């Protein structure tokens, strides 16, 4: 069935370090791919998305490229800030029924 | 603010009791989703409704039920509560089922349920 596997956490980085959070997926058909972020005490917010192969989603300095050949959608940021500390969820949706499947989440802590 | 409203924000109740969590979707959204987030199991999909009808069911226990009303708000009913039901329950909404690729879902801030 459709599913998402993302990198286990927690991840701790120093400010200005490079971030990669890996995400791979399994899906029938052509899913859309998403990254959501959950800040402490809040709900999940959409960070970025991509709807077809080779699309790059970007927002707030974060980027992810939809790679069909490797079934991946890795999240990257060149220089993290303390304010980026949060839990990041990779997700996919299948167009039929718009069902969403989330990964287990990766906790990121950025230290000054 | 996502536009999805959940009440109550916090709830403490005893084992064996029943609670109802309420969700108002974003204006214009027809589809509502319920998720459970716990420390040991991550974000679990429970159930999805579209325009009043059940659309998809995930890992929802038989003790739990949900419905979506004509005004599109939704309620999640949790009964015979156990300690393990303590979790953060999220509601999310989206515009439609097949609006095209990349149809985003928007989350509320969640309802914290503590069973003691």
């Amino acid at each position: 069935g459709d599913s998402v596997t993302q990198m286990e956490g927690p991840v701790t980085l120093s400010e200005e370090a490079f971030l990669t959070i890996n995400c791979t997926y399994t899906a029938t058909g052509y899913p859309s791919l998403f990254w959501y972020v959950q800040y402490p005490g809040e709900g999940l917010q959409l960070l970025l998305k991509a709807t077809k192969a080779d699309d790059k989603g970007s927002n707030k300095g974060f980027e992810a490229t939809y790679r069909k050949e490797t079934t991946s959608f890795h999240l990257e940021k060149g220089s993290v800030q303390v304010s980026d500390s949060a839990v990041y969820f990779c997700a996919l949706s299948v167009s039929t029924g718009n069902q969403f499947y989330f990964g287990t989440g990766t906790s990121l802590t950025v230290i000054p | 603010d996502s536009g999805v409203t959940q009440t109550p924000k916090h709830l403490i109740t005893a084992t064996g009791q029943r609670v109802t969590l309420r969700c108002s979707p974003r204006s214009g959204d027809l589809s509502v989703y319920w998720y459970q987030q716990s420390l040991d199991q991550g974000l679990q999909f429970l159930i999805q409704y579209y325009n009043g009808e059940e659309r998809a069911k995930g890992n929802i226990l038989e003790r739990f039920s949900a419905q979506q009303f004509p005004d599109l708000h939704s309620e999640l009913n949790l009964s015979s509560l156990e300690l393990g039901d303590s979790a953060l329950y999220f509601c999310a909404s989206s515009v439609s089922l097949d609006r095209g690729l990349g149809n985003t879902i928007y989350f509320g801030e969640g309802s914290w349920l503590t069973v003691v």
Side-chain angles (χ1 to χ4, degrees), chain A residues 25-104:
Chain A
Y25 67 90
T26 302
T28 53
Y30 303 96
S32 296
L33 300 173
F34 303 79
W35 278 100
Y36 279 80
V37 58
Q38 184 181 26
Y39 298 104
E42 299 183 13
L44 280 72
Q45 305 172 23
L46 177 67
L47 180 59
L48 53 85
K49 67 181 183 185
T51 59
K52 60 184 187 298
D54 299 326
D55 267 3
K56 178 186 282 188
S58 61
N59 186 26
K60 299 182 181 179
F62 291 90
E63 291 183 342
T65 302
Y66 187 163
R67 301 280 187 209
K68 187 163 178 270
E69 64 277 13
T70 55
T71 62
S72 65
F73 193 55
H74 304 320
L75 182 68
E76 297 182 334
K77 186 174 186 182
S79 175
V80 293
Q81 306 300 311
V82 172
S83 57
D84 295 326
S85 298
V87 181
Y88 293 82
F89 292 88
C90 185
L92 71 81
S93 77
V94 292
S95 60
T96 303
N98 201 41
Q99 294 178 35
F100 269 70
Y101 301 88
F102 284 85
T104 52

Side-chain angles (χ1 to χ4, degrees), chain B residues 15-29:
Chain B
T15 55
Q17 294 299 305
R18 172 190 170 94
V19 298
T20 297
L21 308 181
R22 182 188 168 98
C23 170
S24 294
R26 292 189 325 151
S27 177
D29 283 1

